[in-house]
């Protein structure tokens, strides 16, 4: 049923690179992106209106489940080009992650990375140079936050650091500073080679 498919552990797997095949399988079962967004919007409404978030020992697990629902919904919005909706729901997820994980946690760093990916995709769909520049600046800021947090959580030669450097390098190359981009991308390659594992 819908509730079992929306279990936090399953959502966490769907949000990783290794879970992309599982995400495609889920979308097939749900009936496509639009149906999946509707399904998770219903789940979000259920969590937010239940009142269980504020009650006793289950409050933390409910907040974690709500955050994962928001992130998956944000990723689905991203895939169908609803960038503003994706950013809004991911910012809500970021608030939840900060509440339950702490400001400088791997989960918060990962959510900032999702936000940076969203803004990277949204820039090409902007209708004016002013809008494009504003979105690019927000994307750079999100990418820098992700890198800063991951540097506190992971060793330098980790795939998490490499992914954050690569993301910031991409943003810098396209919308900010080409010289900085080269540095970020070079350091990303070095970290990835030394770590011996692919991006998370």
């Amino acid at each position: 049923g819908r509730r079992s498919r929306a279990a936090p552990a399953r959502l966490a797997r769907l949000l990783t690179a290794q879970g992309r095949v599982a995400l495609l399988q889920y979308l097939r079962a749900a009936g496509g992106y639009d149906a999946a967004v509707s399904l998770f919007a219903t789940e979000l409404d259920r969590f937010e209106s239940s009142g269980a978030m504020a009650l006793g020992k289950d409050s933390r697990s409910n907040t974690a489940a709500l955050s994962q629902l928001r992130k998956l919904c944000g990723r689905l919005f991203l895939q169908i080009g609803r960038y503003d909706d994706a950013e809004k729901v991911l910012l809500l997820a970021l608030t939840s992650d900060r509440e339950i994980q702490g400001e400088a946690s791997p989960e918060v760093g990962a959510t900032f990375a999702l936000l940076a990916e969203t803004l990277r995709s949204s820039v090409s769909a902007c209708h004016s140079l002013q809008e494009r520049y504003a979105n690019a600046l927000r994307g750079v800021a999100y990418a820098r936050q992700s890198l800063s947090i991951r540097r506190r959580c992971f060793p330098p030669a980790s795939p998490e650091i490499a992914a954050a450097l690569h993301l910031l390098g991409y943003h810098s190359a396209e919308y900010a500073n080409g010289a900085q981009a080269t540095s970020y991308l070079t350091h990303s390659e070095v970290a990835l080679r030394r770590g011996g594992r692919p991006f998370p």
Side-chain angles (χ1 to χ4, degrees), residues 8-193:
R10 170 159 188 148
L11 299 184
R13 289 194 297 273
L14 294 179
L15 286 167
T16 66
Q18 292 84 355
R20 285 175 187 151
V21 172
L23 176 57
L24 291 174
Q25 291 172 343
Y26 178 87
L27 290 171
R28 195 174 297 117
Y33 282 116
D34 288 334
V37 167
S38 177
L39 173 64
F40 280 89
T42 299
E43 286 292 324
L44 284 170
D45 288 342
R46 184 177 70 81
F47 268 96
E48 290 171 343
S49 63
S50 68
M53 298 287 298
L55 297 178
K57 63 183 180 180
D58 291 329
S59 176
R60 183 180 178 88
S61 61
N62 282 329
T63 303
L66 179 59
S67 174
Q68 293 291 355
L69 280 166
R70 284 171 169 160
K71 279 182 277 192
L72 184 55
C73 203
R75 179 159 282 181
L76 294 172
F77 280 139
L78 172 61
Q79 292 294 326
I80 61 176
R82 291 170 58 177
Y83 303 117
D84 289 343
D85 290 329
E87 186 178 10
K88 288 175 185 176
V89 76
L90 289 173
L91 286 171
L92 291 173
L94 181 65
T95 298
S96 298
D97 289 340
R98 283 169 158 165
E99 177 186 340
I100 60 176
Q101 303 286 348
E103 186 68 31
S105 65
E107 195 68 31
V108 170
T111 305
F112 270 120
L114 278 175
L115 281 160
E117 289 176 9
T118 298
L119 270 294
R120 180 177 69 179
S121 298
S122 75
V123 168
S124 61
C126 292
H127 299 293
S128 69
L129 286 176
Q130 184 177 8
E131 182 186 9
R132 183 184 181 98
Y133 185 65
N135 282 18
L137 287 181
R138 288 206 311 284
V140 169
Y142 291 144
R144 283 177 175 159
Q145 286 274 50
S146 178
L147 177 59
S148 175
I149 291 170
R150 285 181 167 181
R151 277 177 166 162
R152 284 179 268 174
C153 299
F154 299 102
S158 66
E160 290 80 8
I161 296 295
L165 285 165
H166 185 270
L167 185 58
L168 187 51
Y170 182 93
H171 273 289
S172 297
E174 292 292 317
Y175 321 117
N177 186 306
Q180 278 189 342
T182 300
S183 175
Y184 288 133
L185 293 171
T186 299
H187 282 88
S188 172
E189 183 181 356
V190 170
L192 202 60
R193 192 184 308 118

